[in-house]
Each structure stands twice: as structure tokens, then as C-alpha cells.
């Protein structure tokens, strides 16, 4: 009887492992497809993304224009490649700002604690109590629209989430034996924080980064959709969706390509982050 239970348990674990591997593989494939368009688009596009032609307005997909053309005669595939690159670059820089500042804040507050920790965490709680898009709208209304402003705004908004994750890990890690041993050997606080503890936060940070990229892509697309992010003539996936909504009935391909690109990216990063956490 005990042997049967063990066999059932092993089969269950094997099934879970297979499901995890399949989900992770699908996520990596989806993100890889998007990254292929992004990387190629940095060096080459079939047509100039901003080139307009009155004779090619709202043409359906064809061999010459696989994703069709938009209301200004611009090649949709070229604009999707260029726009995906813009969205990715903004998201990566946004997450980098949030990660760098959040890691520093979380490391110091988690390691030292005290009154500074209380003040910063209460400020953190205040910021996270508001929807991120609402905060972004407030900041953008103050400093203005544009690609660089949206990077700054979203980068600041992402700091509290990374700070909270890192702080929680440091509170746990600083009580473990390897930290106490490092102190006994005479290691300084900064060395302990960034040489000993920080590498041990890698699993949770990787998950936080993938979730952050996911959220940054959605945030950038949402802000550009509202015409508060990337401005014409530059392409952005969110901006393309905004421009396509007027032509959904007459030219649905205008929304299909950027919409699928966003779906693939978000779904891919979600599947990756879920399996990293397990």
C-alpha cells in the first residue's frame, strides 16, 4: 500500500514537472518570437516605418505588405517591428531604473531597519495604494508627454515594488548563518549586503524582473494608447492600437498585428515568471 502511494506521488510530481516545462517552453517561445521582430527591427525593416503613400491607404495584407498598410499608407509590419522595439526599450529602461533604485532602497532598509525603514516603507505603502496608471497620469500631466518622460515616470513608479521585494528578502537573509559567519570573519556591512546577500536574492529578483517587464509593457502600451507616451511619427504598439480603433470595421488588420504582439509578450512573460517562482 505504501509503495502504491509513493508511486502515485512520483507520478503526480512528474506530471507537475512536465506541465511546468511545457508552460515555460511556451512562454520562452512566445517571447522569442517577439524578440526576433524587435532585434531584426533594430537593424532592418521591409520599408521605412514613417514612409507614407496615398495610393496604399488601408491596403489588406499581401505579399508586398504581409500585415497590410495603415490609413496613411505606411507598412504595418515595418511599424510593428519598429514599435515593438520602442516598447521593449522603454520597458527595459523602466525596469532597470526601478530595479537599481529599488534594490538599493530595499537592501539598506531591510538590512538596517530602524526609523528610516519605517519612513520609507510608509511612503512606499502610500505610493502603492494608488493605481500605477493613475500615478503615471498625474506625473505626465506635470512634466509632459513623450518617450523620455514616460520612461522617467514609469521608472519612478516601479521603484516601490522592487524595494518591497528586496527588503523582504534581506530581512530573511540577514538572520541566516552565512551572514553571521561573514560578520565573525570581519566582513563589512556593504560587503555582506552586496557580495553575500544580494546573489542569494537572484531567484526572487528574476521573477520580479519578468513581472516588471510584463507590467512595464502594459503600462507603456496603455499610456501610448491614451496619447500620453510615444508621440507621432514614432511607432509604439499602444499608439498603433489607438490609431487602429477608428478603422476596426474597414481595416481590422491594423489592430491585429500590434494587438497580437502585446498578447504574445504579456502571455510569454507571465508564463515565464510563474514557472520561475515555482
Amino acid at each position: 500500500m505504501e509503495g502504491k502511494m509513493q508511486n502515485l506521488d512520483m507520478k503526480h510530481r512528474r506530471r507537475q514537472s512536465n506541465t511546468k516545462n511545457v508552460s515555460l517552453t511556451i512562454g520562452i517561445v512566445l517571447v522569442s518570437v517577439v524578440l526576433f521582430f524587435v532585434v531584426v527591427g533594430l537593424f532592418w525593416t521591409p520599408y521605412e516605418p514613417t514612409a507614407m503613400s496615398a495610393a496604399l491607404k488601408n491596403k489588406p495584407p499581401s505579399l508586398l505588405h504581409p500585415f497590410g498598410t495603415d490609413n496613411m499608407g505606411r507598412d504595418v509590419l515595418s511599424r510593428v517591428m519598429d514599435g515593438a522595439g520602442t516598447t521593449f526599450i522603454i520597458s527595459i529602461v523602466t525596469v532597470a531604473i526601478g530595479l537599481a533604485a529599488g534594490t538599493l532602497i530595499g537592501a539598506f532598509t531591510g538590512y538596517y531597519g530602524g526609523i528610516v525603514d519605517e519612513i520609507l516603507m510608509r511612503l512606499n505603502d502610500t505610493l502603492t495604494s494608488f493605481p500605477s496608471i493613475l500615478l503615471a497620469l498625474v506625473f505626465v500631466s506635470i512634466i509632459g508627454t513623450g518617450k523620455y518622460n514616460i520612461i522617467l515616470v514609469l521608472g519612478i513608479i516601479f521603484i516601490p515594488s522592487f524595494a518591497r521585494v528586496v527588503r523582504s528578502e534581506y530581512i530573511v537573509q540577514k538572520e541566516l548563518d552565512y551572514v553571521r559567519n561573514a560578520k565573525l570573519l570581519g566582513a563589512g556591512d556593504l560587503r555582506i549586503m552586496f557580495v553575500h546577500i544580494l546573489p542569494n536574492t537572484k531567484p526572487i529578483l528574476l521573477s520580479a524582473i519578468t513581472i516588471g517587464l510584463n507590467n512595464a509593457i502594459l503600462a507603456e502600451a496603455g499610456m501610448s494608447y491614451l496619447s500620453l507616451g510615444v508621440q507621432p511619427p514614432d511607432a509604439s504598439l499602444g499608439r498603433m492600437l489607438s490609431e487602429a480603433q477608428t478603422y476596426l470595421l474597414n481595416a481590422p488588420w491594423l489592430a491585429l498585428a500590434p494587438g497580437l504582439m502585446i498578447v504574445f509578450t504579456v502571455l510569454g512573460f507571465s508564463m515565464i515568471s510563474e514557472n520561475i517562482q515555482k
Side-chain angles (χ1 to χ4, degrees):
M1 185 68 177
E2 185 177 346
K4 289 182 179 180
M5 292 297 293
Q6 289 178 346
N7 289 335
L8 288 173
D9 185 53
M10 289 178 62
K11 289 180 180 179
H12 179 67
R13 291 182 180 179
R14 194 179 299 117
R15 192 180 299 113
Q16 283 184 325
S17 177
N18 291 336
T19 302
K20 174 183 175 181
N21 292 336
V22 170
S23 178
L24 181 60
T25 302
I26 293 174
I28 292 173
V29 169
L30 290 175
V31 173
S32 298
V33 169
V34 177
L35 285 177
F36 172 78
F37 282 98
V38 169
V39 174
V40 173
L42 294 175
F43 305 98
W44 173 85
T45 54
Y47 301 89
E48 177 62 35
T50 57
M52 296 181 284
S53 173
L56 295 174
K57 286 185 177 181
N58 290 336
K59 293 293 183 181
S62 63
L63 291 177
L64 291 177
H65 302 279
F67 289 174
T69 60
D70 66 7
N71 60 302
M72 295 184 182
R74 298 172 296 190
D75 180 61
V76 174
L77 174 58
S78 300
R79 289 186 63 76
V80 164
M81 294 171 70
D82 187 50
T86 300
T87 299
F88 252 85
I89 290 171
I90 291 175
S91 301
I92 290 171
V93 177
T94 293
V95 171
I97 293 172
L99 176 64
T103 297
L104 287 174
I105 294 172
F108 278 98
T109 55
Y111 187 81
Y112 288 111
I115 186 64
V116 176
D117 176 37
E118 286 296 323
I119 293 173
L120 288 176
M121 284 305 104
R122 297 297 75 77
L123 178 61
N124 212 6
D125 293 338
T126 302
L127 288 174
T128 54
S129 65
F130 294 97
S132 57
I133 291 295
L134 179 60
L135 283 176
L137 290 173
V138 172
F139 285 133
V140 166
S141 67
I142 295 173
I143 67 174
T145 61
K147 180 163 53 179
Y148 298 105
N149 286 346
I150 204 68
I151 289 174
L152 177 62
V153 167
L154 293 179
I156 293 173
I157 289 174
F158 274 52
I159 290 174
S161 58
F162 282 106
R164 183 176 294 278
V165 168
V166 174
R167 174 181 176 272
S168 299
E169 278 296 297
Y170 267 73
I171 290 174
V172 174
Q173 295 288 333
K174 72 178 182 180
E175 301 297 333
L176 299 182
D177 290 339
Y178 77 91
V179 174
R180 293 172 181 168
N181 292 337
K183 289 180 179 179
L184 290 175
L185 292 173
D189 287 345
L190 290 178
R191 180 176 178 81
I192 292 173
M193 289 166 61
F194 298 107
V195 176
H196 295 279
I197 297 180
L198 186 59
N200 289 302
T201 65
K202 185 170 67 173
I204 193 69
L205 275 181
L206 286 175
S207 179
I209 289 170
T210 54
I211 294 173
L213 283 171
N214 197 346
N215 293 336
I217 289 168
L218 284 174
E220 189 282 326
M223 298 297 289
S224 294
Y225 180 84
L226 296 172
S227 301
L228 299 174
V230 177
Q231 299 297 308
D234 293 335
S236 166
L237 297 179
R239 184 80 191 188
M240 291 180 70
L241 282 177
S242 177
E243 294 171 350
Q245 64 180 348
T246 307
Y247 305 93
L248 282 177
L249 296 179
N250 299 325
W253 56 85
L254 299 184
L256 185 62
L260 284 177
M261 196 69 70
I262 293 174
V263 170
F264 282 1
T265 306
V266 171
L267 183 60
F269 276 123
S270 295
M271 297 176 81
I272 292 172
S273 63
E274 286 176 3
N275 287 285
I276 288 177
Q277 287 177 320
K278 292 179 182 178

